Amino acid sequence: MNATRMKKGRRWLPLVGLLLLTAILFSYAMFQGGFVSWFLFYSFLPFGLHAFAVALYPLRRVAVSRTVPAKRYHAGEPIPVTVRMELPWAIPPAALTVSGEEPRHGGAMAAWPFRRRLSCAWPLSLPRGRHQLDIVRLEVSDALGFVNKAESFSAPCTIIVYPRYWPWPVEMVREWFAYGKAARPLAYRRDLAVAAGAREYAPGDKMSWVHWKASARRQELMTKEFDEPRNDDWVVVLDGAASPWFEELVTLAASIAKALIDEGVPVGLLVTGKARSYLAPRRSEEQWPSLLLRLAEAEANGSAPLASQLAEEGNWRTAAGCVVVTSRLSAELAAQLRAMASKRCIVLYVVNREWGEDERRWADGLRHAGVHVSHMPPQSWQTVRQGGEDG
């Protein structure tokens, strides 16, 4: 209650000071007389009346709206923001400053002519992600700055800034398919006529799956193991762990996904982390916008190791290939990728500054297992930070 009273008191202080200054000048002219004293009073009078009008102006009654052209914006792109205002009165010119809720949300200054409808625009620069803009702040003052008033208005606006991406070499994508374990059209059901191997019997296995010859050789009950069904789907995995190069990882994932889609491959997306996000592979025109939206909202907040999340993932059973984008290569991740590479094509991209002896040894082991491994130092991503291809 006291804070509200103090705020109201501060609003009236400029008006009281203005009236006091006017009274002093009038008293000086009355008692002093002469041309100079009355010249000072009449010269100040227009500015004083204008400041008095600004002080009484009902700034709260201004109708404010904010609009952004409907367009897909990418990180680093200037976003044109337009704020429209409908004033209750058309009063003489004054300084009018329009700004967002934060300094980085920009602002502009407009003249205040004799009209009620005003608009101003400025370019806004936002990082990748979903941004909810709400507050528009108006500041108005008289010509000499005697009176300054400010009000905040709710003008909600949602802006989605998509990640940037750049053309991925087509030859590199086709090399993945030519490696031997890439896409090939197979049925979505198991072929129960031909067994690929045998394993120990587990409770719940059907008796028709028992491998009698292997059971006789091993002197224990063995179950037939069939080939998992596969198709031509690919999945791009983005490591959602906290990393100083997470934006580069997002850009890389978007670039690879776009290249696969351009080749006509059904592409899905898995973003690991605290808020795990999975988009199933599809071959449709809506897949690319859906992928971009998931990448725009991706956050680096994961704490669980990527290897454990890949081991728990059940979408690999039908995927012909998988592209893993991360900034850390560990022994656990290398072991998990080797296990996955036995049945599908695995591509690994590691973006970090350091590439020690352990990482080189793990990378060599993965290459021997048939995994495509590439190390991309951050120095090669300067062009990505400065700009890239827009979709």
Side-chain angles (χ1 to χ4, degrees):
M1 192 70 178
N2 292 332
T4 305
R5 289 179 179 177
M6 292 179 61
K7 186 176 180 181
K8 290 182 178 179
R10 285 195 297 268
R11 287 183 176 179
W12 288 104
L13 280 177
L15 184 59
V16 173
L18 183 64
L19 292 176
L20 183 61
L21 180 59
T22 306
I24 291 175
L25 289 176
F26 180 73
S27 301
Y28 174 73
M30 287 291 295
F31 289 101
Q32 181 68 22
F35 173 79
V36 176
S37 58
W38 284 107
F39 177 80
L40 290 175
F41 174 74
Y42 285 117
S43 298
F44 171 76
L45 192 60
F47 298 101
L49 292 176
H50 177 258
F52 187 76
V54 172
L56 297 180
Y57 193 82
L59 194 59
R60 292 182 179 180
R61 291 171 51 189
V62 177
V64 179
S65 63
R66 173 168 40 191
T67 58
V68 176
K71 183 180 177 292
R72 183 184 297 168
Y73 299 100
H74 294 261
E77 240 182 72
I79 304 172
V81 177
T82 302
V83 174
R84 293 179 173 85
M85 297 153 287
E86 186 170 351
L87 311 178
W89 300 340
I91 67 172
L96 175 64
T97 304
V98 186
S99 61
E101 48 269 81
E102 297 182 18
R104 65 186 180 91
H105 289 168
M109 180 175 288
W112 198 337
F114 289 90
R115 58 178 181 173
R116 294 181 56 189
R117 291 178 176 84
L118 301 175
S119 66
C120 62
W122 65 87
L124 193 62
S125 180
L126 295 175
R128 177 192 58 85
R130 181 187 292 269
H131 303 273
Q132 182 66 40
L133 307 182
D134 185 29
I135 302 300
V136 172
R137 181 178 173 84
L138 300 184
E139 298 182 18
V140 63
S141 65
D142 64 293
L144 296 181
F146 288 110
V147 178
N148 293 278
K149 299 179 65 175
E151 289 290 345
S152 296
F153 301 86
S154 178
C157 177
T158 301
I159 301 177
I160 300 177
V161 181
Y162 295 96
R164 300 188 74 92
Y165 62 93
W166 48 280
W168 194 257
V170 179
E171 297 77 11
M172 190 174 297
V173 175
R174 293 173 180 172
E175 180 184 347
W176 302 341
F177 289 88
Y179 197 72
K181 295 188 180 69
R184 51 176 178 173
L186 295 178
Y188 274 89
R189 58 181 179 84
R190 292 184 176 186
D191 185 0
L192 301 182
V194 180
R199 58 173 174 80
E200 294 181 1
Y201 178 83
D205 289 344
K206 296 181 180 180
M207 290 303 297
S208 59
W209 294 356
V210 174
H211 199 303
W212 297 109
K213 291 183 179 181
S215 300
R217 288 194 302 268
R218 297 280 299 272
Q219 298 298 317
E220 61 178 328
L221 203 58
M222 303 292 291
T223 302
K224 296 177 182 178
E225 194 172 33
F226 305 97
D227 279 333
E228 294 287 351
R230 293 198 303 165
N231 49 41
D232 58 347
D233 295 345
W234 277 64
V235 178
V236 177
V237 180
L238 173 63
D239 187 2
S243 170
W245 304 290
F246 185 72
E247 293 303 319
E248 284 83 353
L249 296 180
V250 173
T251 300
L252 179 58
S255 304
I256 294 174
K258 185 64 167 65
L260 289 170
I261 290 177
D262 291 342
E263 288 295 303
V265 179
V267 181
L269 176 68
L270 172 64
V271 181
T272 64
K274 187 176 298 183
R276 175 187 172 279
S277 174
Y278 176 69
L279 181 65
R282 288 187 304 169
R283 186 185 281 112
S284 64
E285 296 180 357
E286 294 80 15
Q287 187 70 352
W288 175 235
S290 301
L291 275 165
L292 271 183
L293 180 60
R294 296 294 181 98
L295 290 173
E297 298 175 342
E299 297 181 2
N301 54 11
S303 56
L306 178 60
S308 62
Q309 299 193 46
L310 293 181
E312 298 171 359
E313 184 60 43
N315 297 293
W316 315 121
R317 298 177 181 176
T318 59
C322 171
V323 182
V324 180
V325 180
T326 182
S327 61
R328 297 182 182 90
L329 179 58
S330 61
E332 294 78 9
L333 179 59
Q336 178 61 34
L337 293 179
R338 281 197 300 269
M340 294 167 54
S342 61
K343 295 183 178 180
R344 59 193 53 82
C345 181
I346 301 296
V347 181
L348 173 65
Y349 283 97
V350 182
V351 179
N352 60 22
R353 185 175 292 111
E354 298 179 359
W355 192 252
E357 292 297 328
D358 291 338
E359 286 82 1
R360 291 190 181 93
R361 186 175 67 255
W362 296 329
D364 291 339
L366 287 173
R367 293 188 182 100
H368 288 310
V371 178
H372 296 260
V373 183
S374 295
H375 173 235
M376 303 186 69
Q379 293 83 357
S380 63
W381 288 82
Q382 294 301 320
T383 55
V384 178
R385 287 186 178 275
Q386 297 171 0
E389 287 295 319
D390 302 336

